[in-house]
Amino acid sequence: MIFLTVGSALPFDRLVEMVDRAVGDGVVREEVFAQVGAGRYRPLHCEFVDFLARPEYEARFAQASAVVSHAGIGTIATALKAGKPIMVMPRKKVHGELVDDHQALTAERFAALGHVLAFSTRAEFEAGMRRLPGFVPAPRHANAEGVARAIGTLLNQLCPADMGNMQP
Amino acid sequence: MSKRPFRFCVGASSGGHMTELAALLAHRSLWPLQPSLFVSSLALGSNSILPGVPSRVIGECDRNQPARAIATLFRSLAVAWRERPDLVVTTGSLPLAIFSLVCRLFGARIVWIDSISQIDRISVSGRLVKPFAYRFFVQWPELAERYPGTIYAGELA
């Protein structure tokens, strides 16, 4: 099963429609399960829901052979952590999907690093689908601990031990 | 002696910003003190990240939604007035920029962590907060070189 998700916040009809039509045209042979958000387009060729509660979302994610989504960092990070191949399409300002084009840069950078496959058009989507079976995402070594340590240093400076509020 | 405890607030908008905050909080055992307040834009599953810590919701908005931004401003004022954080650590976005600036008015220090999805420049919300931030983190080394006064210390995604 391929899990198509547009995230929790915004609709993304262009993506949902592109994938649904590709399923209808026989380009995508694997079954697609879609989380489509508050969009207007209703898929004709795949099972879908508007939103998923966190446990259901995680279950679908775990079952999926691959994920197709908007180029949001939450979904990308989740896929990389789970080692799931992910194909992403950026939301664009010109279509009123976001206030700027940062997702296009995210998609481009993460694709260049080998973490994701990126697409913006139907042709690029089809090319991505052909690459998908052999695509092994490059593991990402995010150093969250480095940021946490820097903040720990600040906390030590701002709040000497004697005035800290101790919590379990 | 009635020195009140240091109030340490963390916050993020829903979506990727929250994912990044969760990645940071996963290492909170490194900290000498723990957050005492959690602020989010939406109520969705916020308590799962910091169980037991009081949470407040300030509403979602972006820069094309001035009415919502004003609603977020008033909610932020109410929360900041009551809670008086000494420090706000946030991964964005606009709702948390508004909240942080309101807290700054009440004397809080702001630690802003711009999102990893900001690749060639810092975010609009980040630019709003930057002049008032105590520390400003970016997640790409090139950005720290390009913007004086910003710090690269790692990445949250």
Side-chain angles (χ1 to χ4, degrees):
Chain A
M1 180 267 287
I2 291 172
F3 181 33
L4 168 64
T5 173
V6 302
S8 59
L10 301 164
F12 195 7
D13 280 344
R14 280 195 311 128
L15 172 62
V16 176
E17 184 169 352
M18 188 187 291
V19 175
D20 186 53
R21 286 182 189 274
V23 174
D25 295 344
V27 171
V28 179
R29 294 203 188 85
E30 201 171 336
E31 175 201 352
V32 173
F33 180 85
Q35 179 264 312
V36 301
R40 280 203 207 118
Y41 183 83
R42 306 276 92 183
L44 303 169
H45 308 289
C46 39
E47 193 187 337
F48 70 97
V49 293
D50 289 349
F51 293 101
L52 288 168
R54 195 81 210 171
E56 293 163 15
Y57 177 86
E58 283 168 3
R60 293 286 178 182
F61 220 100
Q63 289 160 14
S65 64
V67 177
V68 177
S69 85
H70 67 124
I73 203 66
T75 312
I76 292 173
T78 307
L80 288 172
K81 211 170 173 183
K84 286 285 170 196
I86 180 168
M87 282 178 58
V88 299
M89 173 161 147
R91 286 195 168 97
K92 290 284 181 67
K93 183 182 177 179
V94 67
H95 298 293
E97 293 155 348
L98 265 190
V99 293
D100 60 26
D101 283 329
H102 74 265
Q103 283 198 358
L105 287 166
T106 304
E108 188 186 303
R109 176 67 64 97
F110 277 69
L113 293 169
H115 298 314
V116 307
L117 297 175
F119 65 98
S120 279
T121 63
R122 168 74 183 252
E124 288 169 3
F125 172 71
E126 291 187 15
M129 287 306 297
R130 286 192 294 272
R131 281 186 64 191
L132 194 57
F135 174 65
V136 180
R140 182 160 175 82
H141 304 289
N143 180 19
E145 192 182 321
V147 185
R149 283 193 188 280
I151 286 168
T153 305
L154 283 180
L155 286 168
N156 270 319
Q157 292 163 1
L158 291 175
C159 177
D162 63 309
M163 52 182 295
N165 47 346
M166 287 302 146
Q167 288 195 0
Chain B
M1 220 170 98
S2 63
K3 206 156 53 174
R4 76 177 183 67
F6 188 89
R7 295 187 194 180
F8 171 20
C9 170
V10 294
S13 301
S14 64
H17 300 278
M18 191 60 77
T19 309
E20 292 190 18
L21 181 63
L24 176 69
L25 292 173
H27 297 280
R28 67 184 182 274
S29 62
L30 296 168
W31 294 344
L33 94 158
Q34 295 301 312
S36 49
L37 181 66
F38 178 91
V39 172
S40 62
S41 61
L42 297 173
L44 295 168
S46 54
N47 283 339
S48 59
I49 294 178
L50 272 184
V53 174
S55 62
R56 301 285 181 273
V57 177
I58 55 171
E60 190 60 80
C61 63
D62 66 41
R63 70 186 109 116
N64 293 336
Q65 300 168 312
R68 283 187 174 209
I70 289 166
T72 295
L73 172 64
F74 279 100
R75 287 180 172 194
S76 296
L77 276 164
V79 175
W81 174 258
R82 273 183 73 101
E83 306 290 345
R84 300 291 176 104
D86 297 293
L87 174 67
V88 179
V89 173
T90 177
T91 50
S93 55
L94 184 59
L96 271 298
I98 293 169
F99 177 75
S100 301
L101 292 172
V102 168
C103 290
R104 182 78 196 103
L105 282 177
F106 290 111
R109 288 182 166 116
I110 306 171
V111 174
W112 181 271
I113 307 168
D114 222 38
S115 171
I116 186 105
S117 70
Q118 298 299 328
I119 289 173
D120 65 341
R121 55 184 184 164
I122 60 178
S123 67
V124 171
S125 303
R127 272 175 268 167
L128 204 62
V129 167
K130 193 168 172 290
F132 308 98
Y134 183 69
R135 293 287 188 277
F136 194 106
F137 289 91
V138 291
Q139 300 191 46
W140 298 96
E142 309 90 294
L143 280 181
E145 279 170 29
R146 185 170 156 195
Y147 291 92
T150 66
I151 307 158
Y152 167 80
E155 46 286 294
L156 299 178

